[in-house]
Amino acid sequence: ETGVTQSPTHLIKTRGQQVTLRCSSQSGHNTVSWYQQALGQGPQFIFQYYREEENGRGNFPPRFSGLQFPNYSSELNVNALELDDSALYLCASSTRTGTSETQYFGPGTRLLVL
Amino acid sequence: QKEVEQDPGPLSVPEGAIVSLNCTYSNSAFQYFMWYRQYSRKGPELLMYTYSSGNKEDGRFTAQVDKSSKYISLFIRDSQPSDSATYLCAMSGPYNFNKFYFGSGTKLNVKP
């Protein structure tokens, strides 16, 4: 177990709707990253939050947005859902140091857009 | 061109075989190299973590990084049916240690 939890585990939405996914980081971790993993593909970086500020973004449109809270839990919001948004959404928590580090992934939320 | 290339497989081997999984990459700035195992419908689980070039061994697993060739490998000795999963390589650095670039994953099936 990594100590990173995500909710809900599964979600079904229709095109055009909005969705909020949640992540609880491992204790002591102040950085959270979100990834989208389409079926048969590797995870793609969406964005990262460090101390409640966005700290890097991948090639995703603005309808993907996020929040990080003082307790380092995090949300991913997706507006105007499209069919291609169907994927496994992973959050990963880590610490940010000047040396090597790695991330611990949660189990993911599987989103299906109909 | 993708930053990280990985053969998707599937790779099917008999129990006890040595498995070799590989990734190539294009960004010479990468410094941190990881291998993750992902079971169906689960999150990735860290297997091996290597900084810069060299080898690292952990039990049945050996990770190799050749930065001059931009090539990384994971070897699994005495493979077991429980090793059947998708293996993802990932890399990062040097400016954002936590932004990972993943390969597309290689699906491994170890037959009893």
Side-chain angles (χ1 to χ4, degrees):
Chain A
E1 293 295 324
T2 64
V4 181
T5 59
Q6 291 186 245
S7 63
T9 55
H10 295 83
L11 202 53
I12 300 174
K13 291 285 189 178
T14 56
R15 195 170 49 183
Q17 285 188 310
Q18 179 265 343
V19 69
T20 297
L21 310 181
R22 294 178 174 84
C23 172
S24 178
S25 299
Q26 183 167 322
S27 178
H29 283 185
N30 57 16
T31 302
V32 65
S33 302
W34 285 90
Y35 291 81
Q36 180 195 65
Q37 186 177 21
L39 197 62
Q41 299 296 316
Q44 298 291 313
F45 178 76
I46 301 175
F47 45 57
Q48 180 183 102
Y49 279 80
Y50 170 65
R51 291 187 175 179
E52 303 175 56
E53 297 283 335
E54 187 177 293
N55 179 48
R57 188 177 185 92
N59 189 27
F60 281 82
R63 59 189 185 85
F64 286 78
S65 63
L67 284 173
Q68 186 184 31
F69 301 101
N71 65 355
Y72 302 132
S73 65
S74 176
E75 287 182 355
L76 165 66
N77 299 288
V78 187
N79 293 322
L81 284 166
E82 300 177 0
L83 298 180
D84 285 348
D85 296 334
S86 296
L88 180 68
Y89 288 85
L90 297 160
C91 75
S93 76
S94 58
T95 60
R96 184 176 176 174
T97 69
T99 59
S100 60
E101 257 318 330
T102 191
Q103 298 184 95
Y104 296 95
F105 283 84
T109 293
R110 188 162 296 278
L111 172 64
L112 177 61
V113 182
L114 302 176
Chain B
Q1 183 189 6
K2 287 185 180 179
E3 299 229 37
V4 181
E5 298 280 357
Q6 184 175 10
D7 188 334
L11 181 61
S12 187
V13 301
E15 183 175 354
I18 296 174
V19 175
S20 173
L21 304 167
N22 311 292
C23 288
T24 58
Y25 62 95
S26 56
N27 188 344
S28 58
F30 288 144
Q31 290 186 348
Y32 305 98
F33 303 92
M34 284 69 62
W35 285 95
Y36 283 84
R37 178 173 61 195
Q38 187 174 29
Y39 292 111
S40 181
R41 300 184 177 274
K42 301 290 185 183
E45 168 196 9
L46 180 67
L47 278 178
M48 298 290 284
Y49 172 80
T50 309
Y51 171 70
S52 194
S53 284
N55 295 356
K56 187 173 183 179
E57 187 174 322
D58 184 2
R60 297 186 294 114
F61 299 91
T62 299
Q64 289 185 350
V65 175
D66 182 350
K67 290 191 71 179
S68 63
S69 301
K70 299 191 184 70
Y71 188 86
I72 70 170
S73 301
L74 177 70
F75 297 95
I76 307 174
R77 291 182 298 282
D78 188 25
S79 56
Q80 303 295 310
S82 58
D83 295 328
S84 298
T86 295
Y87 290 79
L88 296 158
C89 64
M91 42 203 80
S92 69
Y95 302 112
N96 187 331
F97 311 115
N98 299 305
K99 180 181 178 181
F100 283 15
Y101 296 84
F102 280 88
S104 57
T106 298
K107 188 165 186 177
L108 172 67
N109 180 32
V110 181
K111 299 174 292 185

